[in-house]
């Protein structure tokens, strides 16, 4: 009996490469644009912790009940549904806004960013939302006062100043 050796499937059958990667030039355009639209939790926390004016305002787009459960210190609370009627009283159009909601499973920050952009604000969305802010061990405020969790080793380095990325 003759056996046929098993070889790896052609690249076209590989689910990762079924659609080939973009050209380096197209990838550079895409990733550059992504950075213009997004900020991550660690970068926001670092900018806020540096003291002084970070050059942006953080906006929590969740409900009052969610805000009371926990929010980033210094954030402006403006639920997405209220943005069209209240944004101009709370925000300066010359200052970029970084929106956040619950976490990666929620698109509330995206909806808030869209509503603000349609009103003429410069805006970025904070990737990870409040969930990753808390999971990375940054302090947050609740209706009972300030809190802080230990950093989750799946989201933040333990015993290191930053993740190095």
């Amino acid at each position: 009996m003759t056996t046929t050796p098993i070889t790896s499937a052609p690249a076209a059958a590989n689910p990762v490469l079924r659609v080939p990667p973009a050209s380096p030039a197209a990838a550079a355009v895409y990733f550059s644009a992504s950075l213009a639209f997004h900020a991550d939790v660690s970068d926001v926390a670092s900018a806020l912790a540096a003291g002084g004016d970070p050059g942006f305002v953080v906006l929590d787009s969740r409900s009052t009940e969610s805000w009371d459960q926990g929010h980033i210190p210094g954030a402006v609370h403006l639920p997405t549904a209220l943005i069209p009627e209240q944004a101009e009283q709370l925000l300066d159009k010359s200052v970029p806004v970084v929106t956040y909601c619950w976490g990666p499973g929620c698109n509330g920050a995206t909806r808030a960013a869209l509503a603000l952009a349609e009103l003429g604000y410069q805006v970025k969305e904070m990737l990870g939302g409040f969930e990753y802010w808390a999971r990375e061990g940054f302090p947050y405020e609740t209706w009972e006062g300030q809190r802080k969790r230990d950093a989750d080793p799946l989201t933040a380095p333990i015993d290191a100043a930053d993740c190095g990325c």
Side-chain angles (χ1 to χ4, degrees), residues 67-71 73 139-148:
W67 167 268
D68 288 345
Q69 191 172 322
H71 58 271
Y140 59 93
E141 296 174 339
T142 73
W143 65 274
E144 297 175 309
Q146 193 160 46
R147 301 273 170 93
K148 184 177 178 183

Side-chain angles (χ1 to χ4, degrees), residues 81-152:
L82 301 177
I83 287 173
E85 63 189 59
Q86 294 183 11
E88 289 190 11
Q89 290 94 26
L90 298 172
L91 303 169
D92 179 343
K93 285 190 179 176
S94 69
V95 178
V97 179
V98 176
T99 64
Y100 75 90
C101 199
W102 273 113
C106 174
N107 67 2
T110 306
R111 287 193 307 270
L114 173 60
L116 289 164
E118 288 175 338
L119 293 172
Y121 291 88
Q122 298 174 71
V123 64
K124 287 189 174 200
E125 178 183 6
M126 186 177 78
L127 299 175
F130 180 74
E131 175 189 349
Y132 276 70
W133 182 274
R135 288 181 72 187
E136 289 190 24
F138 298 117
Y140 59 93
E141 296 174 339
T142 73
W143 65 274
E144 297 175 309
Q146 193 160 46
R147 301 273 170 93
K148 184 177 178 183
R149 298 171 42 154
D150 289 338
D152 179 337

Side-chain angles (χ1 to χ4, degrees), residues 51-92:
D53 180 2
F56 61 88
V57 63
V58 178
L59 185 137
D60 185 317
S61 64
R62 300 172 302 149
S63 69
T64 299
E65 294 80 13
S66 299
W67 167 268
D68 288 345
Q69 191 172 322
H71 58 271
I72 295 173
V76 171
H77 181 225
L78 181 57
T80 302
L82 301 177
I83 287 173
E85 63 189 59
Q86 294 183 11
E88 289 190 11
Q89 290 94 26
L90 298 172
L91 303 169
D92 179 343

